[in-house]
Amino acid sequence: MKVRLKDRYDSLCEIASARGLDIENIKEKLKKQVIELPSWAVGNSGTRYGTFREQGAARHIWDKIDDCAEIQRVLGVCPVMASHVCWDKTEDGRYAPVREYAQEKGLRIGTLHPNTFLGQEYRFGSICSPQPETREMVRKHLLECVDIAREMGSKCIGMWVADGTNYPGQDSLRERKHRLYEGLKVLYDAMDDDMRMLLEYKPFEPFFYTTDVCDWGVSMLNCQKLGPRAKVLVDLGHHLHGVNVEHIVSTLLDEGMLGGFHFNNHRYADDDLITGTVQPFDLFMIYKEIIDAELDGLDTDITYMLDQSHNIEPSIEGIIYSVMNIQTSLAKALMIDRKALREAQENYDVIMANKILMEAFETDVEPLLAVVREEMGLEDVDPIANYRRGGYAEKIARERGNTGINTLGG
Ligand code: PSV
Ligand code: MN
């Protein structure tokens, strides 16, 4: 470790002890957090206006596993790859080999995402569609997804219902609500006892008048009706601008209904930009709520995932950087002097309460993360430098050229 970093780590330890915090405990928490990597983020992707192809982009699920293994090599907290069924199809329709290949590379398969939005059949939606034949087709797909999850060794299904209407009067809204629940129930009932479902919400797109799962309330309502293995998934990009996401997170935590995250940044109103680049404070506050809930003994069995696609930056670096930003937010949230904060709140001391939070947010945690990475046995405390030095980008560019598959976008 460089001397400068070491000095900074020593002063961070002093700050921690002045705040009554146990630095070893903080390090343990940073080592333990697992972030699932989205298989779809290492393929080519874009916006509805087009795709900038990337040299070395993944061509198939096997390349994606290789790329995630490389990301895990430099980060150490990402031993899981989340998968999107329609973009991760195998040549022969067998998925046990995916599980085996991932294992060989030190990974396992995490949340499996059914695809009920890419196809001509979905013109009026999927499980909420007024067309019975579409609903039947989706039901079959969901059952198939449970089989694929079993084969891949995944214990979690991530549902995004991309359904809605574009025009007032187009369909009966209450009937759609019923179809939604019936469709989700087919999936829920088919899952094994040790599997769980995460239900994502999104205020608009691809439909713009109504969206069947438009917010956390609709998601939570359905999950509560389904049963204890269904929980809400919060995708950071799926909120209207100005919405206080940490407030939603705290409500879901308090109700025992928060199941997972799709991390990204919300400028795009979707999932395409690097986590923590625009609103690091929001991310910090989300982690504050999670840590508070954990300290209060609430259920914090949360699946953390990235849901991004990288359009102008190199994908693998964009992913590595996102995970680093997430770790920074968690580290800062762990540095809050909670005792002092509680006292300030009890004294109605608004200024001091806010100041305590800001002091934690402004804490220099880079040396802490460096020590954590060193203790985890990573080759370099700077994951981006480690990746760049390793020559993986050049290797895949040489081997794959720009023949990578398209996922999102045209
Ligand atoms: C939809 O915008 C979404 O956030 C869902 O999670 C999808 O599964 C994913 O993006 C597709 O990239
Ligand atoms: Mn998402």
Side-chain angles (χ1 to χ4, degrees), residues 1-2 5 70-76 320 324 327 366 369-390:
M1 196 200 316
K2 292 190 192 98
L5 220 48
E70 169 65 6
I71 297 169
Q72 163 65 353
R73 181 183 74 80
V74 299
L75 285 165
I320 295 171
M324 290 169 69
Q327 290 180 303
E366 197 195 346
L369 289 165
V371 170
V372 164
R373 291 185 183 121
E374 202 172 59
E375 290 183 4
M376 287 174 77
L378 299 181
E379 266 170 36
D380 194 316
V381 298
D382 178 346
I384 301 265
N386 192 352
Y387 172 71
R388 287 191 175 178
R389 217 184 27 251

Side-chain angles (χ1 to χ4, degrees), residues 111-114 156-160 196-200 233:
T111 309
L112 183 78
H113 298 72
C156 187
I157 310 253
M159 269 303 281
W160 173 52
R196 64 179 192 158
M197 177 205 290
L198 302 179
L199 180 58
E200 189 169 349
L233 184 141

Side-chain angles (χ1 to χ4, degrees), residues 117-143:
F117 49 93
L118 284 179
Q120 292 302 312
E121 304 82 2
Y122 303 125
R123 178 180 290 246
F124 301 113
S126 63
I127 48 177
C128 304
S129 169
Q131 298 178 308
E133 58 282 11
T134 298
R135 296 204 301 279
E136 184 48 31
M137 192 193 87
V138 179
R139 280 197 282 266
K140 281 202 186 110
H141 174 65
L142 295 179
L143 297 180

Side-chain angles (χ1 to χ4, degrees), residues 40 84 87 113 117 160 200 202 235 238 262 270-271 307 408:
W40 54 101
H84 225 295
W87 297 318
H113 298 72
F117 49 93
W160 173 52
E200 189 169 349
K202 183 173 179 178
D235 182 314
H238 290 187
H262 273 178
D270 200 359
D271 32 50
D307 180 9
L408 304 171

Side-chain angles (χ1 to χ4, degrees), residues 17-143:
S17 105
R19 292 182 192 164
L21 303 168
D22 176 355
I23 201 76
E24 292 307 317
N25 186 268
I26 290 177
K27 285 194 287 182
E28 270 322 291
K29 292 220 150 66
L30 287 164
K31 289 175 196 168
K32 270 203 204 130
Q33 179 179 231
V34 169
I35 315 276
E36 293 193 12
L37 301 170
S39 69
W40 54 101
V42 290
N44 277 322
S45 60
T47 65
R48 65 173 73 81
Y49 303 107
T51 297
F52 300 108
R53 301 180 75 82
E54 189 181 346
Q55 289 288 334
R59 295 160 298 185
H60 37 60
I61 186 156
W62 316 106
D63 281 353
K64 293 174 179 183
I65 292 173
D66 289 344
D67 291 354
C68 289
E70 169 65 6
I71 297 169
Q72 163 65 353
R73 181 183 74 80
V74 299
L75 285 165
V77 293
C78 305
V80 191
M81 183 179 89
S83 171
H84 225 295
V85 281
C86 85
W87 297 318
D88 287 345
K89 284 203 173 103
T90 54
E91 302 76 7
D92 59 3
R94 289 168 59 236
Y95 289 90
V98 170
R99 173 194 198 149
E100 285 153 19
Y101 188 64
Q103 235 161 28
E104 247 173 65
K105 294 279 173 170
L107 303 176
R108 65 183 166 80
I109 305 300
T111 309
L112 183 78
H113 298 72
N115 189 300
T116 55
F117 49 93
L118 284 179
Q120 292 302 312
E121 304 82 2
Y122 303 125
R123 178 180 290 246
F124 301 113
S126 63
I127 48 177
C128 304
S129 169
Q131 298 178 308
E133 58 282 11
T134 298
R135 296 204 301 279
E136 184 48 31
M137 192 193 87
V138 179
R139 280 197 282 266
K140 281 202 186 110
H141 174 65
L142 295 179
L143 297 180

Side-chain angles (χ1 to χ4, degrees), residues 203-218:
F204 62 89
E205 199 189 39
F207 294 98
F208 295 91
Y209 172 61
T210 60
T211 297
D212 291 293
V213 189
C214 60
D215 61 20
W216 64 272
V218 175

